[in-house]
Amino acid sequence: MPHLLLEYTKNLNLLDEQEVLLRLNKALFGSGQFDEIDIKARAVALDDFVIGVTPAGRAFVHAKLSLSSGRSPEVKRDLSSALLQELRSIFSGPSNHHIQLCAEIIDIDRDSYAKDMIAPSS
């Protein structure tokens, strides 16, 4: 834990998904809430989307961070703010699109979440 899912509209032509995910992971690690190895991130480019009723020239980036339940509202607010700040930095340059940036925190029930790790052979 945590799991970060970054969804973005393909019209943004996000060139380097790996770099964006790495920057978001660093922001999460910098929060002090997670061990570095536990942060898992992936990106999904959306081919089909509609924003409002005039989709031309519009785009969005939505970061969903799934966490084990139990963190305070303040910690969750700090995490969503850190993600949003990093997204603003990434998409701060000139754009041909009106871009909406979102960050969402989702609680995962600790009692039903299962995890195991397999270490590399030495």
Side-chain angles (χ1 to χ4, degrees):
M1 207 51 80
H3 289 273
L4 176 64
L5 172 60
L6 186 72
E7 296 176 314
Y8 68 95
T9 57
K10 200 163 191 174
N11 62 340
L12 286 175
N13 300 319
L14 190 58
L15 299 176
D16 193 345
E17 290 176 338
Q18 291 295 313
E19 179 61 27
V20 170
L21 293 175
L22 183 60
R23 287 179 63 174
L24 293 171
N25 277 10
K26 286 180 179 180
L28 292 172
F29 182 59
S31 74
Q33 292 292 315
F34 313 106
D35 291 333
E36 174 271 334
I37 196 169
D38 290 333
I39 304 168
K40 294 161 284 296
R42 64 284 235 164
V44 176
L46 303 170
D47 290 316
D48 300 312
F49 63 92
V50 175
I51 301 170
V53 295
T54 311
R58 296 178 178 175
F60 71 81
V61 180
H62 187 122
K64 289 183 185 181
L65 183 64
S66 298
L67 309 168
S68 296
S69 58
R71 287 184 174 78
S72 71
E74 293 80 16
V75 167
K76 292 190 264 188
R77 200 171 20 255
D78 289 347
L79 291 168
S80 63
S81 293
L83 289 171
L84 191 58
Q85 181 179 347
E86 194 61 37
L87 289 174
R88 278 191 206 112
S89 173
I90 291 166
F91 293 97
S92 64
S95 175
N96 296 331
H97 302 291
H98 175 269
I99 305 171
Q100 295 182 39
L101 305 174
C102 311
E104 175 183 12
I105 307 297
I106 300 167
D107 281 330
I108 294 177
D109 181 47
R110 287 179 184 268
D111 293 334
S112 62
Y113 183 76
K115 175 182 173 179
D116 199 357
M117 291 212 259
I118 302 170
S121 302
S122 38

